[in-house]
Amino acid sequence: MKKALIITTISGFVPQFEMNNVSLFQEMGFEVHYASNFDRPVYDYDKNLFQQRGIITHPLFIEKSPVHLIQNYKTFKQLKTLLQEERFDLIHCHNPMGGVLGRLAGSLYAPGAVILYTAHGFHFYRKAPLRNWLLYYPVERALARLTDILITINEEDFKRAGGFRLRYGGSVWKIPGVGLDVKRFVPKEKERKKRKAELGFPEDSFLVLSVGELNRNKNHRAVIQAVSQMAEKDICYGICGRGNGRKELERLIEKKGLQSRVKLLGYRKDIERVLPAADCFLFPSKREGFGMAAVEAMAVGLPLITSDCRGTREYMKDEVTGIVCVKNCPESYAEAVRRLKSNPRKRVEMGRSSRERALLFSREATENVMRRVYEAACAQMEHVRKREPETVHREPDQTKKVKA
């Protein structure tokens, strides 16, 4: 039986985002293995799920930050042993460090394997700090030479990756996100008051909701500051997620005296029940490769307020699906919230447009592309042991292979 290995930095990543790809692998006759740091979950996951789905797991010491050199060197040695023992036919890497270590180890110790990497948002992008370009761009460009298939999730990254030199026969693809479950996320406007009460907010409040890890990049701090600037006491803010920044946000909420208006709701498995409680969804990230949480909110029929970044540009249309805040600052978000609060009719129109646009990013749309990606990877297996000088080629469309 053919063997496929999925490598991620975050252990809950496969249950959260990649189970559709697992199913595709298994349909195509692969035995699926999963290597990750199972002691550092960001997303919730059920360990029994792996066994039920026939996924063979391998714990790694992998750390998210590249500064953990010793730990990640141990991970590299773990991968060396794993690759030599299992002799995988295909290796699919995710997350930056998973992509670095997986591709390096794969090229050295699994020369017969096809190597794929999904970039869930390059750290270098238009208007990114110079430091990001100096640190990350040369690394990704060099690692592309060890990559057979490079998958991107937004147009800016796709175009950037098109300039990289991949292995011979290599290709660059773009997928429409990780796949929205349009049956799970549906509008439930009539249940809004009930859902607000369940979350501990007044039924007649104007509830702004965000979903995302509690860290600096997700920028929840800016929205908390925006709420503190608004005299309207009926405007409340809920944040779903967990992370190292929780205590910092709790201190800010207490400092601003917002304990009754701002709540940290923790990680939620039932996000499809939480979203319908909101009057609008606010996505203030400084950087996003895509931002599936916002698309899920769109599917529920919520108007959006977002920052202007490459990920949100994939689905956000200013004044149609919501409001784009070019200035990623508290004042900008406060003004946008007031605008939506004062215009119920506009919220309804934007919510309908959001739902319609969200359907473009359905699970079926992503699966259609990923099936073709894996078919291309299987075809590549026939030639992988006969490497010629690297080149890249392009094919038009969403599945756009990139040609030199």
Side-chain angles (χ1 to χ4, degrees):
M1 177 180 283
K2 297 177 293 186
K3 292 183 179 181
L5 172 66
I6 300 173
I7 302 173
T8 74
T9 308
I10 302 166
S11 61
F13 197 83
V14 162
Q16 183 77 6
F17 298 117
E18 296 295 316
M19 291 308 291
N20 294 338
N21 289 345
V22 169
S23 297
L24 286 175
F25 273 137
Q26 291 173 335
E27 286 176 21
M28 300 173 78
F30 283 91
E31 178 181 85
V32 179
H33 294 241
Y34 179 31
S36 187
N37 188 338
F38 295 100
D39 294 327
R40 296 288 179 87
V42 171
Y43 307 101
D44 205 13
Y45 71 99
D46 181 358
K47 293 181 179 180
N48 294 326
L49 177 66
F50 299 126
Q51 185 174 4
Q52 293 169 3
R53 292 295 301 267
I55 303 170
I56 302 169
T57 57
H58 305 275
L60 294 180
F61 296 125
I62 192 167
E63 291 286 346
K64 186 176 182 179
S65 173
V67 302
H68 295 288
L69 297 176
I70 295 176
Q71 285 292 91
N72 285 328
Y73 177 68
K74 291 179 180 179
T75 300
F76 182 79
K77 294 202 295 185
Q78 284 181 298
L79 284 172
K80 173 185 176 181
T81 301
L82 176 61
L83 297 178
Q84 289 177 332
E85 289 178 353
E86 294 291 347
R87 299 182 65 83
F88 293 104
D89 300 283
L90 185 150
I91 300 171
H92 193 168
C93 312
H94 298 266
N95 313 126
M97 282 311 301
V100 171
L101 297 175
R103 286 182 283 178
L104 283 174
S107 64
L108 291 171
Y109 306 116
V114 174
I115 299 178
L116 298 83
Y117 172 54
T118 298
H120 295 273
F122 289 135
H123 280 66
F124 47 91
Y125 48 92
R126 185 165 59 89
K127 296 184 179 181
L130 178 61
R131 179 186 61 182
N132 289 30
W133 282 95
L134 294 176
L135 290 176
Y136 298 110
Y137 179 75
V139 173
E140 285 292 350
R141 191 174 183 90
L143 289 173
R145 292 175 174 268
L146 309 179
T147 309
D148 292 289
I149 294 178
L150 179 53
I151 304 162
T152 63
I153 59 175
N154 63 66
E155 187 65 19
E156 182 179 333
D157 285 355
F158 173 74
K159 290 179 179 177
R160 190 85 59 197
F164 294 166
R165 185 178 293 275
L166 276 64
R167 281 174 160 178
Y168 175 74
S171 53
V172 177
W173 303 67
K174 177 187 171 187
I175 58 174
V178 294
L180 170 72
D181 186 343
V182 297
K183 294 181 180 178
R184 179 185 174 195
F185 294 95
V186 295
K188 295 179 180 177
E189 297 174 15
K190 294 181 179 179
E191 299 182 18
R192 182 162 292 148
K193 290 186 177 181
K194 174 185 174 183
R195 299 290 171 88
K196 283 180 185 178
E198 289 175 353
L199 296 175
F201 294 102
E203 290 185 0
D204 59 349
S205 64
F206 185 84
L207 179 59
V208 180
L209 189 72
S210 293
V211 177
E213 187 179 352
L214 306 184
N215 60 32
R216 293 289 181 90
N217 177 59
K218 296 299 182 181
N219 206 24
H220 304 301
R221 185 183 182 89
V223 186
I224 294 172
Q225 290 174 331
V227 174
S228 73
Q229 294 176 8
M230 292 185 278
E232 299 91 336
K233 301 301 182 183
D234 60 338
I235 295 177
C236 297
Y237 183 41
I239 307 171
C240 297
R242 61 186 174 198
N244 296 331
R246 184 181 180 94
K247 289 185 178 179
E248 180 184 347
L249 294 180
E250 287 175 337
R251 287 194 293 268
L252 179 61
I253 292 168
E254 184 176 359
K255 179 182 177 181
K256 299 293 184 179
L258 297 173
Q259 295 93 324
S260 63
R261 296 171 60 191
V262 179
K263 298 182 185 296
L264 303 181
L265 303 172
Y267 180 85
R268 303 292 298 238
K269 294 181 180 180
D270 61 340
I271 198 65
E272 71 279 7
R273 285 186 57 82
V274 177
L275 286 171
D279 293 282
C280 71
F281 187 86
L282 210 160
F283 205 52
S285 298
K286 298 177 181 178
R287 173 182 57 82
E288 280 293 343
F290 187 77
M292 201 62 199
V295 178
E296 290 171 350
M298 292 173 73
V300 172
L302 295 180
L304 303 187
I305 300 173
T306 72
S307 60
D308 182 26
C309 62
R310 63 193 160 146
T312 59
R313 292 184 201 118
E314 293 296 303
Y315 45 81
M316 186 64 175
K317 288 190 174 295
D318 192 28
E319 301 298 333
V320 177
T321 58
I323 301 171
V324 177
C325 294
V326 178
K327 294 182 179 179
N328 194 354
C329 63
E331 293 77 15
S332 181
Y333 292 128
E335 180 184 353
V337 170
R338 288 193 183 103
R339 281 185 56 197
L340 289 184
K341 181 178 185 293
S342 65
N343 196 336
R345 181 176 178 180
K346 190 66 174 177
R347 291 202 307 272
V348 171
E349 292 174 357
M350 287 179 168
R352 288 172 181 166
S353 296
S354 288
R355 171 68 182 176
E356 291 175 4
R357 187 152 179 79
L359 300 180
L360 300 175
F361 304 93
S362 68
R363 176 182 294 174
E364 291 73 20
T366 300
E367 282 185 0
N368 286 340
V369 181
M370 283 307 305
R371 186 180 298 277
R372 295 164 69 182
V373 169
Y374 288 148
E375 287 172 352
C378 289
Q380 188 81 340
M381 289 177 192
E382 303 298 324
H383 311 285
V384 76
R385 288 185 175 86
K386 300 178 181 179
R387 302 281 188 197
E388 299 178 25
E390 289 97 344
T391 187
V392 190
H393 54 260
R394 184 183 296 273
E395 190 182 328
D397 256 330
Q398 271 262 84
T399 57
K400 313 172 182 176
K401 291 180 186 176
V402 177
K403 231 177 190 180

